[in-house]
Amino acid sequence: MQHKSKRSRAIAMPRNEFRARASEYLDFLGAWLKKPRQTASVVPSSRYLARLMVSHIDPADGRVLELGGGTGVFTRAILETGLPAAKLEVVEINPAFARGLRRHFPHVTILETPAQIVSTAAAGGPGEYQTVISGLPLLAMDRTLHVDILTEAFRMLRPGGAFIQFTYSMRPPVNRDILDLLDLDVVRVGQTVRNFPPATVFRFFRRGE
């Protein structure tokens, strides 16, 4: 009798999961080809990066806002923390991605609203959110957008709330002068090489909190 090697068993995955990942890859590749600066990567983020991104979420501690839902890698990880779907809203302005998110997460509110004016469409009011999870390609955006997006995010965050952002650089994707302008600070949460490209996660927060 022949036996599969340990390596073969380790890399095997259910057919449905394989199809889902293949579909996510094709969706991301198509979006990147159309708008490379908006999508920023040719592949979806890994589950290892997703776990880092959601590590500060307390499922019993208020609403969560996700910016740039993409194919739902972070959305899935947020829900796996135990956060009720009714307490999560996902911003995605790419119509194809938004349709996919509604299909895969029917109980989550999907907002096709720019991140810098999300308060005009969000169900929760200012100060009601514990965390903002951002998959936005900040490195591809200009300083004005950085200011607008962070200002809006911290308008929605309660005292002690955090804006979580990943980047493919070892340095924060927002310049120090912008953080000084908005009275914010940033710390490194962690890094994973089990992502393509390798990614670093940062937590932005109000000074003094």
Side-chain angles (χ1 to χ4, degrees):
M1 180 181 293
Q2 292 183 342
H3 296 279
K4 292 183 178 179
S5 68
K6 291 183 179 180
R7 177 176 174 80
S8 297
R9 289 198 300 270
I11 64 175
M13 68 175 66
R15 183 174 297 179
N16 288 342
E17 184 178 350
F18 176 81
R19 288 177 176 172
R21 292 190 186 180
S23 176
E24 287 178 356
Y25 172 77
L26 292 173
D27 287 346
F28 249 75
L29 179 61
W32 182 82
L33 289 171
K34 290 180 181 178
K35 294 184 177 181
R37 288 180 62 83
Q38 186 182 93
T39 306
S41 176
V42 296
V43 294
S45 298
S46 73
R47 64 182 182 275
Y48 305 102
L49 174 56
R51 288 170 188 165
L52 266 180
M53 291 289 288
V54 306
S55 61
H56 285 81
I57 291 176
D58 181 342
D61 201 23
R63 306 183 70 88
V64 171
L65 185 65
E66 180 187 356
L67 306 180
T71 58
V73 176
F74 295 163
T75 309
R76 188 175 299 111
I78 293 168
L79 295 174
E80 287 174 352
T81 68
L83 185 84
K87 291 188 176 181
L88 172 62
E89 293 162 85
V90 180
V91 173
E92 179 51 67
I93 61 172
N94 180 306
F97 283 164
R99 286 193 299 271
L101 289 167
R102 291 189 178 101
R103 183 171 66 252
H104 293 299
F105 307 101
H107 302 296
V108 173
T109 299
I110 310 300
L111 306 173
E112 292 185 62
T113 305
Q116 60 268 37
I117 57 169
V118 68
S119 62
T120 63
E128 293 186 15
Y129 293 78
Q130 58 165 303
T131 305
V132 173
I133 300 292
S134 174
L136 299 175
L138 290 187
L139 285 177
M141 298 178 179
D142 62 27
R143 293 166 52 87
T144 300
L145 268 179
H146 287 183
V147 171
D148 291 347
I149 289 170
L150 285 170
T151 298
E152 186 76 343
F154 280 93
R155 178 180 295 119
M156 305 303 288
L157 285 166
R158 69 184 187 195
F163 179 96
I164 309 297
Q165 175 72 49
F166 81 93
T167 179
Y168 301 129
S169 169
M170 292 293 292
R171 301 178 62 183
V174 179
N175 289 340
R176 176 57 61 178
D177 60 337
I178 293 177
L179 298 181
D180 291 342
L181 174 68
L182 301 178
D183 202 25
L184 301 177
D185 213 336
V186 59
V187 294
R188 184 172 178 253
V189 174
Q191 182 187 35
T192 178
V193 296
R194 303 181 78 173
N195 190 77
F196 181 78
T200 305
V201 176
F202 292 94
R203 179 172 65 91
F204 295 79
F205 54 95
R206 298 180 183 92
R207 289 177 181 169
E209 297 182 350

